[in-house]
Amino acid sequence: MLARHQEPIVAIATAPGRGAVGIVRVSGRKLSSLIEALCGRSLKPREATYLPFADADGSPIDHGLALSFVAPHSFTGEDVLELQAHGGPVVLQLLVARCLQAAAEMDTATGQPRLAGLRVAQPGEFSERAFLNDKIDLAQAEAIADLIDASTEAAARSASRSLAGDFSKEIHGLRDALIHLRMLVEATLDFPEEEIDFLQKADAQGQLNRLQTAVMTVLGKARQGALLREGIKVVIAGQPNAGKSSLLNALAGAELAIVTPIAGTTRDVVQQTIQIEGVPLHVIDTAGLREGEGVDEVEQIGIARAWGQIENADAVLFLHDLTRVGQADYDSADAEISTRLHSRLPASVAVIDVWNKADAAPVSLERTGLNLSARTGEGLQALRQQLLQQAGWQQASEGLFIARERHVQALHRVREHLEVADAHLAAQAQNLDLLAEELRLGQNALNEITGEFSADDLLGVIFSSFCIGK
């Protein structure tokens, strides 16, 4: 544990801005003297007390509720003081300043500062201390931020399940099974002279197969959870006047982008996050893709930005105008865009052909892709379902938990190590040391998810994304 983790911390724990209630939180060791200075009395643990919060001269900064939590029975595992005041930013800043001032004052009984070293908390430091003091594991700590940032009801409920420990229980179950298998292999290595075939009698192959199946099950859930958290980035691309802005407005159910018959109306990127069955979709409208005369400098910048968005998309909706299909210049430009899309995008990025203006097309043509009308809404539901299918979404179950991309990658590594371990196990005694190493590496990958094994820089990256009061 780093030296800064021993220092007491203080921060505003509620969101910036004005509100009915704001909270200032202090966490550290032996807060009784600070409590006396701020509240003018001691507090009964875990019981809300209404009182004035005193300034240095004894005058009240505000009146509110004070709560004291004694270690280890607190969120951080340390002594915690929460001051619940009126939610004005100036009031809360005054309370933080008073906490820092009171902490530096000398306690007349001890002749020492009331709370030496009190400082303003860094982002995520309260949750980091909860993790370091074994109140929560790393996956649960991340779920706190995910619950706060959830953009859909499904994501919020899944984050709540992760915070309650559902995801961690799955990981711990995998780890326990892996540890048991490691013990069998290590015993065989330690006692090679024994005639008993430890691995065969203990059904090591069956245990490994069951473990591989369990990992794939959890990996599938984690992929779904990561999709709930991250969503997918969908870029609408195509020639000018194909109806890209109209499609964005139709999907969003609001007039977000300006729609006119003038080519080049959309000059910049317009983005809106919508949800389909709880999955966030970040839909991006881009400038029409074209070249040649009539493209001014501003539109060229918009087209360059459009290609930048396309190259970073999870899926691209290539929008075609059914009313112009068959026109030589239009078909030629569409073919050129199609060639560029497939040459610049990896195979993992889907390009979905969408044929717009079905309501105005003279003849209904059979083409690969989806026919729709952004104006009437015809075909929009089919498009939504195809986007979910392309993203790999399956109907959410009640037991789904939130997950992050790093969790998915860690589980992928576990799966790969177990596949190699399976090959070594088939070779029996010749490769048992390699088998043991693959199982160890698989366990390390599992431990990274919950934090039993993790590097300090990984912790720094995770908790630095939190808000200050968490």
Side-chain angles (χ1 to χ4, degrees):
M1 190 176 293
L2 301 178
R4 68 179 181 85
H5 296 142
Q6 309 296 327
E7 300 168 351
I9 52 175
V10 60
I12 299 171
T14 41
R18 296 188 301 171
V21 177
I23 299 174
V24 171
R25 176 183 290 161
V26 182
S27 181
R29 294 178 175 82
K30 299 180 179 179
L31 303 186
S32 56
S33 181
L34 179 69
I35 292 173
E36 289 277 358
L38 295 172
C39 303
R41 51 168 290 182
S42 61
L43 297 176
K44 185 176 180 179
R46 309 177 73 84
E47 183 176 292
T49 305
Y50 180 76
L51 42 71
F53 304 134
D55 207 346
D57 60 3
S59 61
I61 297 173
D62 194 7
H63 289 70
L65 295 178
L67 294 97
S68 170
F69 303 88
V70 178
H73 307 294
S74 70
F75 172 67
T76 63
E78 302 173 333
D79 290 347
V80 170
L81 171 66
E82 287 193 357
L83 304 178
Q84 300 184 8
H86 293 95
V90 174
V91 172
L92 297 178
Q93 289 293 348
L94 285 173
L95 284 176
V96 170
R98 176 56 187 148
C99 287
L100 294 169
Q101 181 188 38
E105 294 172 353
M106 293 297 176
D107 187 333
T108 55
T110 64
Q112 300 293 324
R114 295 184 183 276
L115 190 60
L118 180 66
R119 59 174 174 80
V120 175
Q122 297 177 10
E125 196 166 1
F126 288 98
S127 296
E128 183 180 21
R129 293 196 178 193
F131 163 70
L132 292 171
N133 292 323
D134 296 324
K135 302 300 290 186
I136 54 176
D137 64 30
L138 197 54
Q140 289 173 294
E142 291 171 306
I144 296 172
D146 295 336
L147 183 59
I148 294 170
D149 295 336
S151 58
T152 68
E153 180 183 347
R157 292 185 180 278
S158 298
S160 181
R161 281 189 284 271
S162 289
L163 179 56
D166 288 10
F167 183 31
S168 301
K169 290 175 184 175
E170 299 262 14
I171 298 303
H172 289 153
L174 295 176
R175 186 195 63 186
D176 292 344
L178 186 48
I179 289 174
H180 186 266
L181 186 55
R182 281 189 66 192
M183 289 170 56
L184 294 174
V185 176
E186 296 290 347
T188 305
L189 288 172
D190 289 342
F191 303 103
E193 70 281 359
E194 294 288 342
E195 295 181 359
I196 299 175
D197 188 342
F198 289 102
L199 299 183
Q200 187 175 4
K201 288 180 69 83
D203 188 26
Q205 184 66 63
Q207 289 189 43
L208 180 55
N209 292 343
R210 288 190 291 273
L211 183 56
Q212 288 178 290
T213 301
V215 167
M216 292 305 298
T217 299
V218 176
L219 178 57
K221 290 183 180 180
R223 286 195 187 110
Q224 298 293 293
L227 190 58
L228 270 183
R229 179 183 184 274
E230 305 289 347
I232 59 173
K233 180 178 178 180
V234 179
V235 175
I236 306 174
Q239 294 189 57
N241 284 348
K244 297 183 298 299
S245 297
S246 296
L247 180 56
L248 172 66
N249 292 343
L251 287 171
E255 297 296 320
L256 302 174
I258 299 173
V259 178
T260 76
I262 303 172
T265 297
T266 301
R267 298 295 185 100
D268 205 349
V269 171
V270 180
Q271 177 172 333
Q272 177 67 19
T273 297
I274 64 174
Q275 61 167 300
I276 303 175
E277 295 184 13
V279 179
L281 266 70
H282 312 293
V283 186
I284 299 171
D285 177 26
T286 58
L289 304 176
R290 63 171 177 167
E291 297 178 354
E293 297 181 2
V295 181
D296 59 33
E297 183 177 356
V298 176
E299 190 176 353
Q300 287 177 355
I301 295 173
I303 293 171
R305 290 184 177 180
W307 280 110
Q309 293 291 335
I310 289 169
E311 290 172 355
N312 290 289
D314 297 313
V316 176
L317 300 181
F318 183 11
L319 205 60
H320 310 273
D321 184 349
L322 281 172
T323 64
R324 288 187 281 169
V325 171
Q327 299 175 13
D329 57 343
Y330 179 81
D331 290 347
S332 175
D334 250 17
E336 174 63 25
I337 293 172
S338 179
T339 300
R340 291 184 67 184
L341 283 173
H342 288 91
S343 65
R344 297 176 70 161
L345 292 175
S348 59
V349 177
V351 177
I352 302 173
D353 289 296
V354 179
W355 305 87
N356 190 28
K357 304 183 184 179
D359 59 311
V363 180
S364 178
L365 302 175
E366 292 293 331
R367 296 181 179 275
T368 302
L370 287 172
N371 284 9
L372 60 76
S373 169
R375 186 178 69 84
T376 67
E378 174 191 349
L380 282 181
Q381 184 59 26
L383 176 59
R384 294 187 182 102
Q385 292 304 313
Q386 182 158 346
L387 286 172
L388 288 180
Q389 181 180 3
Q390 185 59 47
W393 176 249
Q394 300 170 2
Q395 185 64 39
S397 64
E398 283 301 314
L400 195 62
F401 45 73
I402 206 77
R404 297 188 171 201
E405 185 59 29
R406 79 169 191 90
H407 303 150
V408 175
Q409 294 304 318
L411 287 167
H412 274 299
R413 294 201 306 276
V414 176
R415 183 197 63 186
E416 292 166 359
H417 288 306
L418 292 183
E419 287 175 352
V420 177
D422 194 28
H424 291 320
L425 182 57
Q428 294 294 324
Q430 293 87 341
N431 291 338
L432 288 185
D433 53 343
L434 298 177
L435 168 61
E437 177 62 13
E438 291 300 330
L439 294 178
R440 184 187 69 83
L441 293 173
Q443 183 184 342
N444 284 349
L446 284 176
N447 287 341
E448 288 179 15
I449 295 175
T450 53
E452 279 87 351
F453 170 80
S454 56
D456 286 340
D457 57 347
L458 174 62
L459 296 183
V461 170
I462 291 171
F463 288 107
S464 65
S465 66
F466 282 45
C467 53
I468 296 292
K470 299 306 293 184

